[in-house]
Amino acid sequence: MLKRPLEQLPEHIFPPDPWRLVEQRFTERFVDRGETIFALSNGYLGVRGTPEEGRPVRAPATYINGFHETWPIIHPEEAFGIARHGQTMVKVPEATTLQLFVDDEPLHLPTARLRRYSRVLDFRAGMLERELTWSTPGGRHVRVRSCRLVSLEHRHVVAVAYEVVLDDCSAPLVIRSEVRNLEDVAPADGAGRRTDPRVGSELPGRVLHCEAAERDGERLLLGYRTSNSGMTLGVGVDHVIETDAPHRTEVSLDGDRSEVIVTADGQPGVPVRITKFAAYQSSRSAEPAELAERCRWTLDRVVRGGFGDLRKAQRAELDLFWDRADVRVEAGERTDAVQQAVRWNLFQVAQATWRAEGTGVPAKGLTGRGYEGHYFWDTEVYLLPVLSYTQPRIARNLLRFRHSMLPKARERARELNQRGAMFPWRTINGDEASPYFQAGTAQYHLNADIAYAIRRYVRARGDLGFLVEVGAELLVETARMWEDLGFYAADGAFHIHGVTGPD
């Protein structure tokens, strides 16, 4: 484990607020941390907290829960029961970027003269909002406002509303909307590779292959397939342009970098608004073109309702969460700071799980590729106790997901010469993915973690129907493994040897 000193965020930049995370001044020092703490997700789709303009960035990414690539694990020596293939969560094409140019000057936060700046993550609204006033080198005063959300109601949707207003002058405006394949193409800032193994592996070779591409006005539809895992992906991006200023658009379509460029004759006090809707669909079997078509249907629905409908639904979904999950604290002079920390963490629980139907919960949610995006025992031991009491629908879904992995867990037990089922320590698709021999072949406690979570959920909810449906089978199969692994010694106690305990 790499040890690093704890560095508190400075309160003159990030002031305590019981319901919001506020950044009231831009500084490059916290760009990397800001990408994580301002990330948005809904359990299926996640977007890191990068600036809308796409720069500066350290690890920009959009992720889909469970969408991964596989790769062969090269072991220096053979050993019993070792994993053969690794699994890594893939960056899907990023669609939030909206680069701004005023009179050919780009808005680049590190060098821009900002008269006003604030970025706010609201835990009740579930949105990331930013407002700034920029004085360009040519003396133009430009107000820029953006609002981003990852929809809790529509699990496949992320939307960005972007508005530019010239205060006291006329000037040409250009807004360049991008859809970029960041898995295979370096970001504009050329963010480098990292050495911390917890951040996740860099995949060798090309990962995403574009097999479908279609343009319909300012709407882009793309379909991809991964090189090794064979998973497929659909991406659809649409633009709603609202302004009284004269403007025109240009569109280019490419699997690695597509653009919709809006050029407007900016007038004082006349807003130029672009609302960008993006839809993502993933599958293990459907064709890329079919998924792109599903994105078309999703975009038809959300564009018709507009950003306002998404905003209202977002607040309504989070009202349901906070009604059951809010924790209020008293800490004297530090009450606001402690309350902010507690609610930010609860908000992360909601973001990581709300729409995680048919998947698990990655160790770092969808805020980054830490630990490859694998599902660990964290879900059953850390998350399910909270969810069992506050969001039983989500708790049931996560336990049903573990049950869906039971066939592969039985195969893993046979591979390790055990009866019953043996759930993997690290996985996305149900196969053990840990290249570390001692952990991948001896982390038996996953079985106990799952049984513990089932018992806690059933006791908390009184849901005996769940036991009949899937819970009892999980308990029986994990118990068979324990009975086979251990033994009764002469002292009359049941002994288990040769296992690795939890952290």
Side-chain angles (χ1 to χ4, degrees):
M1 180 67 71
L2 300 178
K3 301 296 185 183
R4 291 175 177 164
L6 178 65
E7 182 183 7
Q8 297 286 350
L9 293 171
E11 292 190 359
H12 69 283
I13 299 177
F14 300 90
D17 186 299
W19 279 108
R20 304 182 306 162
L21 181 63
V22 180
E23 180 186 46
Q24 58 186 18
R25 180 166 68 84
F26 174 79
T27 172
E28 279 196 275
R29 177 184 173 189
F30 298 109
V31 165
D32 52 354
R33 197 179 305 190
E35 289 181 9
T36 297
I37 64 177
F38 287 105
L40 296 174
S41 74
N42 62 13
Y44 171 78
L45 173 63
V47 178
R48 282 177 61 79
T50 51
E52 274 69 27
E53 296 75 27
R55 297 187 305 163
V57 292
R58 297 295 182 268
T62 299
Y63 297 107
I64 291 178
N65 194 351
F67 188 76
H68 69 281
E69 179 66 308
T70 56
W71 42 275
I73 300 174
I74 307 300
H75 296 280
E77 296 181 2
E78 287 297 307
F80 171 74
I82 57 176
R84 302 293 178 180
H85 293 91
Q87 305 156 30
T88 298
M89 185 165 64
V90 171
K91 299 176 188 175
V92 300
E94 195 276 328
T96 61
T97 300
L98 290 153
Q99 295 181 342
L100 172 63
F101 300 82
V102 177
D103 203 12
D104 289 334
E105 295 288 347
L107 173 54
H108 181 49
L109 294 178
T111 57
R113 182 185 173 194
L114 301 178
R115 299 169 61 193
R116 183 169 61 93
Y117 175 93
S118 71
R119 182 164 60 155
V120 177
L121 175 61
D122 190 312
F123 309 148
R124 288 177 291 191
M127 296 190 302
L128 180 63
E129 297 187 82
R130 192 196 65 183
E131 295 186 18
L132 61 87
T133 301
W134 169 38
S135 296
T136 73
R140 324 285 191 187
H141 300 313
V142 185
R143 286 179 283 135
V144 182
R145 182 183 180 191
S146 63
C147 183
R148 178 192 305 180
L149 63 82
V150 175
S151 177
L152 298 174
E153 180 184 37
H154 302 282
R155 71 194 296 252
H156 302 283
V157 173
V158 56
V160 183
Y162 195 81
E163 179 182 275
V164 181
V165 182
L166 297 175
D167 268 353
D168 52 7
C169 62
S170 299
L173 300 178
V174 177
I175 301 175
R176 183 162 62 198
S177 170
E178 290 189 346
V179 182
R180 182 179 291 191
N181 171 14
L182 292 179
E183 185 61 67
D184 298 304
V185 178
D189 276 17
R193 297 176 178 234
R194 301 191 177 192
T195 58
D196 187 340
R198 297 169 297 180
V199 172
S201 300
E202 296 288 346
L203 292 166
R206 188 172 186 89
V207 175
L208 293 176
H209 300 270
C210 186
E211 296 185 7
E214 179 184 346
R215 172 196 169 187
D216 182 6
E218 283 80 42
R219 178 178 292 185
L220 311 175
L221 299 169
L222 300 158
Y224 300 85
R225 190 186 306 272
T226 59
S227 295
N228 298 323
S229 70
M231 295 196 73
T232 52
L233 173 72
V235 182
V237 182
D238 205 352
H239 302 77
V240 176
I241 303 166
E242 300 172 283
T243 182
D244 291 330
H247 66 281
R248 63 184 185 277
T249 60
E250 302 172 50
V251 180
S252 64
L253 184 62
D254 181 85
D256 282 341
R257 182 175 176 179
S258 299
E259 294 180 336
V260 174
I261 300 175
V262 179
T263 303
D265 297 328
Q267 305 296 323
V270 178
V272 177
R273 300 187 186 95
I274 296 180
T275 306
K276 189 175 184 180
F277 301 90
Y280 294 84
Q281 295 270 356
S282 61
S283 175
R284 299 180 187 273
S285 57
E287 290 298 311
E290 177 186 345
L291 295 180
E293 188 63 21
R294 292 184 197 174
C295 290
R296 185 200 303 274
W297 303 336
T298 300
L299 289 172
D300 285 343
R301 185 169 66 253
V302 297
V303 171
R304 189 182 311 117
F307 194 86
D309 281 3
L310 291 177
R311 180 196 296 263
K312 291 176 185 176
Q314 195 82 343
R315 179 61 184 252
E317 297 284 322
L318 281 166
D319 283 347
L320 293 175
F321 174 76
W322 290 114
D323 181 58
R324 296 179 175 180
D326 190 21
V327 175
R328 299 173 187 174
V329 299
E330 293 289 343
E333 294 180 356
R334 299 293 297 163
T335 292
D336 282 355
V338 175
Q339 186 71 78
Q340 181 186 52
V342 169
R343 286 186 174 137
W344 183 87
N345 280 278
L346 286 168
F347 181 65
Q348 299 310 313
V349 172
Q351 290 205 123
T353 64
W354 199 255
R355 299 307 305 271
E357 297 100 357
T359 65
V361 181
K364 290 186 178 290
L366 297 173
T367 65
R369 195 149 68 182
Y371 297 107
E372 318 284 351
H374 289 170
Y375 313 136
F376 286 76
W377 57 290
D378 310 38
T379 301
E380 283 78 16
V381 173
Y382 297 136
L383 292 179
L384 278 170
V386 177
L387 296 170
S388 293
Y389 292 106
T390 63
Q391 302 297 329
R393 170 188 65 85
I394 300 174
R396 280 194 304 272
N397 286 340
L398 292 173
L399 289 171
R400 286 192 184 109
F401 171 71
R402 278 295 190 191
H403 180 265
S404 74
M405 290 185 163
L406 187 56
K408 287 196 172 184
R410 289 185 175 118
E411 291 178 13
R412 181 62 175 163
R414 288 193 292 271
E415 188 178 1
L416 296 173
N417 290 333
Q418 305 285 178
R419 295 177 64 235
M422 180 62 233
F423 283 89
W425 179 47
R426 302 182 60 154
T427 191
I428 295 176
N429 64 13
D431 295 322
E432 178 60 68
S434 172
Y436 183 47
F437 169 73
Q438 292 91 330
T441 61
Q443 290 267 2
Y444 285 83
H445 67 86
L446 263 295
N447 276 20
D449 303 329
I450 293 168
Y452 165 81
I454 293 170
R455 185 180 72 166
R456 178 181 282 269
Y457 167 75
V458 172
R459 285 185 174 180
R461 308 307 307 180
D463 190 353
L464 297 180
F466 173 80
L467 279 180
V468 174
E469 180 188 355
V470 296
E473 187 177 21
L474 285 168
L475 293 173
V476 168
E477 289 297 274
T478 55
R480 282 176 174 154
M481 187 282 298
W482 292 118
E483 186 274 336
D484 187 49
L485 179 67
F487 61 94
Y488 283 98
D491 61 2
F494 190 77
H495 293 254
I496 301 172
H497 291 175
V499 300
T500 298
D503 296 345

